[in-house]
Amino acid sequence: QSVLTQPPSVSAAPGQKVTISCSGSSSNIGHTYVSWYQQLPGTAPKLLIYENNKRPSGIPDRFSGSKSGTSATLGITGLQTGDEADYYCGTWDSSLTTDVFGTGTKVTVV
Amino acid sequence: QVQLQESGPGLVKPSETLSLTCAVSGYSISSDFYWAWIRQPPGQGLECIGGMHHNGATYYTPSLKSRVSISIDTSKNQFSLKLTSVTAADTAVYYCAIRIPNLNWFDPWGQGTLVTVSS
C-alpha cells in the first residue's frame, strides 16, 4: 500500500481546470522534492513535473506543481481530451529509504 | 537521445526467479545516475523496486529487499533485475528508468515489459 494518498479520480469539462492532491508525511513530501508523472492508457509513465514545480522541456505550461508542508498539488488548466490519463506523484521516503509513489488519480474530461 | 529497453521472459513459474535486463542507449551506464526498476501490477499503481549506482550503491524497497537484486554490466551498458521465489503477486509490468540522485525523479522510462507468474 502506498504512503502517498491521491484522490482516485477527478473530472472536468474541456477547457476547465483540475487539481490533484498528494498527501504524505514528514518523512517523504515534508522532507524532499516531489515529482509528478502522466501515464496515458497503455503507455509508460512520463515525467510531468520535477523538483516540486519545474516542467521538463516539451511539457506545456498548462501543467503546474506546488508543495506545501506534507502535501503537493498538480494543476492542469485548459483541460484537453488528450489529458485523460492516470497521474502519479512520487518522492523519496527517508524512513523506508526508498522511492514511493502516490495511489494514482484518473483524470476524465467530460 | 537516451533510450531504455527492457527484455526478458514474459512468463515465469511460481517459486522460480524472474530475470530482466534493461539495455541503455544514449548514456553511459557509468553516468551519475541510479538505474532503477519500477513495477505496476495489472490495474494497479506504481511500486518502486529499487535502484543501483555504478559506484555500487543500491537501495531496495523494504517489502522486496529479501528477494531482489539489481546489477550493472558496464561492458554491455545495461543493468539487470533478479527477483527470487516469485508468486502470482509478482505479476506486473516491469519498467526500467533513470533516477536522478537526490532529486527524486525518474526520466526517462523504458516502455515496460509484462511478466506473468503462472504455472
Side-chain angles (χ1 to χ4, degrees), chain A residues 32-35 37 39 43-47 49-51 56 88 90-92 96-103, chain B residues 36 38 40 44-50 59-62 65 95 99 102-107 109-112:
Chain A
T32 187
Y33 293 117
V34 176
S35 54
Y37 304 87
Q39 187 175 32
T43 69
K46 181 177 78 171
L47 180 67
I49 297 288
Y50 66 99
E51 294 176 34
Y88 294 91
T91 189
W92 176 263
L96 298 173
T97 60
T98 190
D99 293 288
V100 290
F101 292 99
T103 48
Chain B
I38 298 144
Q40 184 173 35
Q44 298 185 39
L46 302 170
E47 178 183 35
C48 181
I49 298 171
Y59 71 96
Y60 301 118
T61 200
K65 192 172 185 176
Y95 297 101
R99 183 192 187 277
N102 301 318
L103 297 179
N104 314 330
W105 42 275
F106 296 90
D107 184 59
W109 298 54
Q111 65 182 29

Side-chain angles (χ1 to χ4, degrees), chain B residues 20-95:
Chain B
L20 296 174
T21 296
C22 181
V24 180
S25 58
Y27 271 134
S28 167
I29 200 80
S30 297
S31 301
D32 186 23
F33 301 135
Y34 274 88
W35 304 95
W37 290 94
I38 298 144
R39 70 180 184 177
Q40 184 173 35
Q44 298 185 39
L46 302 170
E47 178 183 35
C48 181
I49 298 171
M52 183 173 190
H53 194 279
H54 75 87
N55 65 12
T58 57
Y59 71 96
Y60 301 118
T61 200
S63 62
L64 298 173
K65 192 172 185 176
S66 64
R67 298 193 292 128
V68 68
S69 66
I70 296 173
S71 60
I72 288 174
D73 187 337
T74 54
S75 66
K76 295 182 179 179
N77 214 52
Q78 63 185 31
F79 62 107
S80 299
L81 168 72
K82 288 191 187 298
L83 182 66
T84 63
S85 304
V86 297
T87 69
D90 295 310
T91 293
V93 175
Y94 286 76
Y95 297 101

